[in-house]
Amino acid sequence: MDDHESDEGESDDLDAVLSRVRDRAVPEPEERGRLRAVAGELVERAREAIADLPVEADVVQVGSTARGTWVSGDRDIDLFVRFDADLDRAQLEEYGLAVGHAVLPDGHEEYAEHPYVKGSYEGFDVDLVPCHDVETAGDLVSAVDRTPFHDAYLSARLDDDLADDVVLAKAFLKGIGAYGSDLRTEGFSGYLTELLVLELGGFVPLVESARSWHPPVEFDPEGHAEETFDDPLVVVDPTDPTRNVAAVLSAANAARFQHYARELLAAPRESLFEPEDPEALDAAGVRAHLDRRETTPVAVVFDAPDLVDDQLWPQLRRSLDGIVRGLNAHGFDVLRAQAMVDDDRAEGGPTGAVRAALYAELEVAERPAVERHEGPPVAVRKHAASFYESYADDVDPETYGPFIDGERYVVEREREFATVRAYLESDAAGDVALGAQVERAFAERDVLVGDAVATLAATFGTTLREFYEPHP
């Protein structure tokens, strides 16, 4: 995305840009009517399924499509089946899944805090989630129990103008790649976006505020916070004083929003509301970047554990952090690194046996055969003597010293790993802090060094383009 050019090559008036975006992003009455009709059918199907249960329950539609704050073209319907707060978890799951499968006979089960049914109906993506019907958000039995409270809070406060501004905000966040609270994206959730628009009084006031944020930034709509939070953006949940709605938001996505808020106000253009669809980088393109950069790329490639994304990505990031620390500790100076998952899976394709990679570019890929190891100053008698004596009788011809350099004892000893390949293929590479299930897959890893990483373009081409052609 070019930061300084609109589709027409120059900036437009902000009001004109927002008017055009609003025309295409806010759903037309026909789209709203179609969604209401389908949601009504699903609610009726759910009520019929509930009637066959030995317990009482009700069903409510929640989320952006319930509040009229979805971006045109989104096809999500979220239904929550509320059971008595005293119902035990096992029964909640049993009855909730029974309703879900009755409403969506071709649906499949996914897992958040507990299982729910996901499927499609009349072209819409439907989540049917069981929860407890608790008195207040402070009485939660599980995290999903708070969602109906979110819906009630916003529905009572968002008028039509604010709802349209929420749609603008969501379109903007989608356009800059910062929308979505899944743990792969770590962006702005729909609920967070709606609270910010409500709190600031519209989309334009929100971006005007964001351009001057100095993290940490905190908003507390109800003035009832009971906790302190160590996050770049804090929005205290108006239904739960102990929760930061922005907890998932990464520092990078908070900064990305601020960057593009400034861009929008300085040079308004519709392209900021249009998500990029980058073309996959091919092997020749990867090699061209490598030739120009003169770094050494490395990749550790393995079968991704068969987990949903919200479980997989935290493990991949933890593993990447561990590998980066290990590379740096052995002198291979990481310039930049990224976890990658097969492009098909990353774009919502099939789960299962797909490939993952921990990818890094190194400033140094080969080190001398010896490394310097400093001891304490000679004046520190006890520790200095211990260091000196531990090496004085060393007959290893690869060890030089001990000798005095400045005020310290020093030895130069054989380096454990002189090449990055030797390190990454060793057991030591698996001794870093890897994600628990990544660690098992890591044992069957392939290690690619240098130009060999170009072969990854067939699997990770889109992510490689994002890596080698980064933008804010």
Side-chain angles (χ1 to χ4, degrees):
M1 182 182 299
D2 192 315
D3 291 346
H4 300 289
E5 296 182 2
S6 72
D7 295 339
E8 296 76 24
E10 58 184 30
S11 301
D12 293 323
D13 175 76
L14 179 59
D15 288 341
V17 168
L18 296 184
S19 178
R20 291 195 295 271
V21 173
R22 187 179 287 107
D23 285 345
R24 63 176 172 78
V26 174
E28 295 284 352
E30 182 180 355
E31 183 178 352
R32 294 180 185 276
R34 172 62 178 155
L35 187 140
R36 278 196 300 271
V38 172
E41 291 177 21
L42 288 165
V43 167
E44 186 57 36
R45 289 168 66 95
R47 287 173 177 160
E48 291 173 0
I50 290 168
D52 292 333
L53 298 178
V55 296
E56 293 187 358
D58 69 354
V59 58
V60 291
Q61 183 187 356
V62 298
S64 61
T65 51
R67 298 188 290 271
T69 57
W70 80 95
V71 177
S72 180
D74 287 354
R75 310 285 289 177
D76 299 324
I77 297 176
D78 299 317
L79 299 179
F80 274 49
V81 179
R82 297 186 298 190
F83 294 92
D84 189 274
D86 293 331
L87 191 69
D88 67 48
R89 187 186 186 97
Q91 289 180 310
L92 176 88
E93 294 182 5
E94 177 188 351
Y95 298 145
L97 291 175
V99 173
H101 287 301
V103 174
L104 300 167
D106 296 325
H108 63 278
E109 294 178 17
E110 292 198 3
Y111 194 92
E113 186 164 340
H114 50 64
Y116 65 98
V117 176
K118 188 178 187 71
S120 60
Y121 183 83
E122 298 292 330
F124 289 85
D125 296 322
V126 183
D127 286 357
L128 204 146
V129 183
C131 70
H132 293 92
D133 188 8
V134 294
E135 287 290 331
T136 71
D139 300 322
L140 301 179
V141 180
S142 70
V144 297
D145 299 344
R146 64 166 60 93
T147 301
F149 293 96
H150 295 168
D151 190 73
Y153 183 88
L154 290 168
S155 295
R157 291 164 176 80
L158 289 174
D159 59 24
D160 289 344
D161 289 339
L162 282 174
D164 286 356
D165 272 19
V166 167
V167 175
L168 285 177
K170 291 180 179 180
F172 181 68
L173 289 165
K174 288 184 177 186
I176 66 174
Y179 186 74
S181 60
D182 58 281
L183 295 183
R184 177 176 185 264
T185 305
E186 296 184 314
F188 290 75
S189 68
Y191 181 50
L192 172 60
T193 305
E194 297 187 31
L195 286 176
L196 286 169
V197 170
L198 179 62
E199 177 74 7
L200 275 303
F203 173 64
V204 172
L206 170 58
V207 292
E208 288 177 337
S209 174
R211 68 178 168 183
S212 301
W213 286 351
H214 291 279
V217 177
E218 180 167 333
F219 298 100
D220 185 2
E222 294 299 306
H224 67 174
E226 294 180 1
E227 304 281 347
T228 56
F229 305 95
D230 184 22
D231 297 301
L233 176 64
V234 174
V235 179
V236 180
D237 192 333
T239 74
D240 183 349
T242 67
R243 177 175 179 259
N244 175 21
V245 179
V248 169
L249 180 68
S250 68
N253 274 324
R256 180 169 292 113
F257 177 54
Q258 184 171 58
H259 169 86
Y260 284 112
R262 292 171 181 166
E263 282 289 308
L264 177 66
L265 294 170
R269 53 205 189 273
E270 288 182 71
S271 59
L272 294 176
F273 295 82
E274 298 167 357
E276 282 193 331
D277 185 16
E279 183 180 348
L281 198 63
D282 61 16
V286 174
R287 293 190 190 96
H289 282 293
L290 300 182
D291 290 344
R292 183 165 65 251
R293 294 167 72 82
E294 296 184 351
T295 55
T296 299
V298 297
V300 181
V301 190
F302 49 91
D303 286 340
D306 188 10
L307 304 170
V308 298
D309 277 0
D310 276 0
Q311 295 172 326
L312 175 62
W313 277 95
Q315 292 209 23
L316 289 177
R317 290 195 176 101
R318 173 181 171 85
S319 302
L320 182 67
D321 288 345
I323 288 295
V324 167
R325 286 195 299 272
L327 289 167
N328 284 329
H330 286 88
F332 298 116
D333 298 355
V334 176
L335 179 66
R336 191 147 52 93
Q338 185 168 327
M340 300 180 178
V341 172
D342 186 310
D343 285 344
D344 287 341
R345 161 69 178 260
E347 294 170 7
T351 59
V354 295
R355 298 291 270 174
L358 306 178
Y359 191 91
E361 271 198 332
L362 311 179
E363 297 182 24
V364 178
E366 188 168 346
R367 303 291 290 165
V370 296
E371 63 179 350
R372 178 184 175 90
H373 179 47
E374 292 186 349
V378 175
V380 183
R381 181 176 179 180
K382 182 177 180 181
H383 295 295
S386 176
F387 179 87
Y388 180 83
E389 289 166 5
S390 66
Y391 285 100
D393 297 327
D394 193 338
V395 296
D396 186 344
E398 302 298 331
T399 299
Y400 297 79
F403 56 90
I404 294 173
D405 188 354
E407 64 175 1
R408 295 178 179 273
Y409 288 125
V410 173
V411 295
E412 293 166 347
R413 60 189 183 187
E414 182 179 11
R415 186 181 297 274
E416 186 177 9
F417 303 107
T419 68
V420 67
R421 178 179 293 280
Y423 169 65
L424 290 175
E425 290 181 345
S426 73
D427 291 342
D431 290 340
V432 300
L434 299 172
Q437 284 162 292
V438 169
E439 186 173 1
R440 291 192 284 272
F442 197 79
E444 301 298 325
R445 64 192 178 277
D446 295 321
V447 174
L448 303 179
V449 179
D451 286 352
V453 302
T455 62
L456 297 177
T459 305
F460 306 99
T462 302
T463 311
L464 285 167
R465 184 174 293 279
E466 292 169 351
F467 184 89
Y468 282 113
E469 300 173 17
H471 58 72

